[in-house]
Amino acid sequence: MTERFPAHDTPPGTTLGTTSGTSSGRPGVAAADVPGDRPPPARLAYDRHTWKEIAHLLANLPVSLVGFTYVVVMLFTGLGLTVTVVGFPLLAAGLLGARQLGRLERARARALLGVRVEEPTPLPWRRGGFWPRLWLAVKDPVGWRTVLYELIRLPWGVVTFTVTLTSLFVLWPVLPFVARGLANADRAMVRGLLCPSDELERRIAELESDRGVVVDTAAADLRRIERDLHDGAQARLVNLAMGLGLAKEKLLEDPDVAAAMVEEAHGEVKLALQELRDLARGIHPAVLTDRGLDAALSSVASRCTVPVKVTVDLVERPAAAIEGIAYFTVSELLQNVSKHSAARSASVDVWRADGRLLIQVRDDGRGGASLDGGTGMRGLSERLGAVDGLFVVDSPEGGPTTVTAELPWRDRSGALA
């Protein structure tokens, strides 16, 4: 958290410090706060900062009374009705309202106490149905911390209001010191209970969301493999068994017909083997395991309907999981090029930079691709996001299309770069 005050509010001779923050590197995560400017020392004379602190302390009672009443009614109503169908939805709505109370308290502290606290990360509503979203709101730590803040604020508001109002008439010569001490306690409460989740808590929330994406993706892949086996190779092998059974019956009666049936069965065997190879390649291609991304992506490019130039600039191979995600990302993108782009040529570039594996797929097609255009692009974005990756599509109407993907570099030993 950073405390700041306008330059024109600073008494002469006071030196303002500078603040700096560094981004976490992940989109959506705010820069970290660092200690910064402090209010001027309390003194007998009344200045702008002192009057702001006095106003904040006097407003504590009415504001805390409203917040305490809301929280008590919300808790008694929501928790009391949890035995019914409407209990948890009411509790979730109450916690979302508590988030808004926290926002107002942060704004008040920012305006009167100079405490600047970053807003908490919004709840990740992007996935899940009604019940997962309901549970997400019920277990929201930001909402529960605001509830605790409002519960302890009413007795504190009574104390600060009484002491400040009395000091205005009885202890006014030392009121700046009294106000500064009470205001510092308020600042500590704001920092402790209304600050955004720390980096670890944010990371846990992101990983919980990403875990759901990984589980859903794995389940979808298993269903696809089962469907391909059932509708493809399995059905062909069943026909093959029936054909060989009929050929066996015809072997003595009509050897020529039996030979023709065996020949047909031989063709079915070849097709079944090809389907099994394609299925195995879709699970994890052997060439990727044996020879790495360069050879595997060249194999994928050779099956594309347009000429593809592949450039892989890697001194060493990444971890198998990262390598697999990179392979299937390029494979999916080249399938899109073949099916939808109407391109004349395409290129694939893979390289490593600053602890990231970078992938760029370009084509000179008609463009218009977007993450909202279908489940394919959106699925790729979710897969990469589940491993701290990025997925960016630049595809204006009329082309060209450039898709850039980033993955964290992990060595074969499993260590992050």
Side-chain angles (χ1 to χ4, degrees), residues 309-368:
K309 179 184 178 182
V310 177
T311 304
V312 178
D313 184 14
L314 297 176
V315 177
E316 57 181 328
R317 293 175 62 179
I322 299 299
E323 198 174 55
I325 294 174
Y327 170 83
F328 287 113
T329 299
V330 174
S331 179
E332 180 75 20
L333 291 174
L334 289 183
Q335 286 185 28
N336 288 341
V337 171
S338 297
K339 295 177 181 178
H340 310 298
S341 71
R344 294 184 299 275
S345 65
S347 64
V348 176
D349 295 285
V350 181
W351 71 100
R352 178 185 178 181
D354 298 329
R356 308 285 285 181
L357 179 64
L358 296 161
I359 303 166
Q360 198 164 71
V361 179
R362 298 186 185 92
D363 69 73
D364 58 0
R366 59 192 171 202

Side-chain angles (χ1 to χ4, degrees), residues 148-190:
L148 178 59
Y149 177 85
E150 296 295 348
L151 287 176
I152 66 177
R153 289 294 290 180
L154 181 59
W156 176 248
V158 172
V159 170
T160 57
F161 180 85
T162 304
V163 171
T164 304
L165 188 61
T166 302
S167 299
L168 273 173
F169 298 98
V170 179
L171 302 174
W172 62 267
V174 294
L175 179 57
F177 298 95
V178 175
R180 176 58 51 82
L182 295 176
N184 283 340
D186 269 337
R187 290 184 178 99
M189 289 184 192
V190 172

